[in-house]
Amino acid sequence: MASVLSRALSLSLSAAGNGVVPRARGGGAAGTGVAGGFRRQIYRPHLVLEGDFGMGQNHVARALLHAMEEVPIFTLALGSLVAQGNGGDSVDVVCLRRIVEAKKSAPSILYLPAVDTLWGSITHQMRKVILSAIEDIDKNSPVCVLAWFSNGGLDEDDSDLAQLFPSAAQGQGGEGHAHRNVCKLTSP
């Protein structure tokens, strides 16, 4: 399963890096994103792994990251944010710095391990900071957001995470988002 997800992630990021998909359009002017009938079309690769506690979400995510080792990875794990924040910067600033670095290093992966634990441990203000910074990433930028839930999945009442993974909560992709960005891990 990890190899299938890894290949899909790889194709998403490589297509985003090259980013030219044939599209019926007229010849475009400079700066329009259309050149000679081709237009760049990306779908914001956001992937979330769900499953009951102990189903191996962490292992599958690490296997995906290992398979994508040539792509820069920026982690938003609570422990590393707090540890780096002890150097004088607030956790919010460290978090924003990592998201900005991911945007600058595209194609890249923004990794949110145990996102449900992270979300339960941070303030409402920091949630909004993370969401706005991720939503601020241009939809044509090849930055993949990879997250996993340690116990269960996306709670449809959590509007913040539903905003980050819209198809997980709504059963369909929002504008610029993939339609299938949830991988549910179940027992064999």
Side-chain angles (χ1 to χ4, degrees):
M1 178 198 291
S3 64
V4 172
L5 290 173
S6 169
R7 183 159 184 220
L9 208 66
S10 177
L11 290 173
S12 296
L13 290 175
S14 66
N18 305 346
V20 218
V21 175
R23 199 154 197 211
R25 298 266 184 185
T32 63
V34 179
F38 291 92
R39 180 184 163 115
R40 184 176 229 197
Q41 186 177 18
I42 310 298
Y43 62 87
R44 281 191 187 179
H46 289 198
L47 176 65
V48 62
L49 304 173
E50 296 182 340
D52 294 333
F53 182 77
M55 292 305 300
Q57 299 90 314
N58 182 21
H59 300 293
V60 173
R62 287 177 187 239
L64 284 170
L65 294 175
H66 178 73
M68 301 295 298
E69 63 185 358
E70 70 278 356
V71 178
I73 300 164
F74 299 90
T75 303
L76 296 182
L78 185 60
S80 65
L81 293 173
V82 170
Q84 193 169 354
N86 285 338
D89 291 334
S90 71
V91 175
D92 297 3
V93 170
V94 173
C95 184
L96 278 175
R97 187 178 304 130
R98 289 192 184 167
I99 294 171
V100 168
E101 288 172 3
K103 288 178 3 182
K104 287 181 182 178
S105 300
S108 61
I109 297 173
L110 192 57
Y111 178 50
L112 288 83
V115 70
D116 50 344
T117 304
L118 173 69
W119 233 238
S121 303
I122 60 177
T123 65
H124 182 72
Q125 177 185 355
M126 188 168 169
R127 291 179 191 174
K128 293 297 182 187
V129 166
I130 292 171
L131 287 174
S132 66
I134 291 174
E135 286 297 319
D136 214 24
I137 298 172
D138 181 26
K139 74 177 183 178
N140 291 318
S141 181
V143 177
C144 175
V145 178
L146 173 63
W148 57 269
F149 287 89
S150 60
N151 192 14
L154 181 63
D155 181 7
E156 294 179 12
D157 295 331
D158 189 345
S159 61
D160 290 342
L161 282 177
Q163 180 182 346
L164 188 57
F165 301 103
S167 66
Q170 302 164 358
Q172 58 187 6
E175 181 184 340
H177 290 276
H179 288 279
R180 295 183 187 145
N181 63 358
V182 178
C183 179
K184 179 95 172 146
L185 303 177
T186 58
S187 57

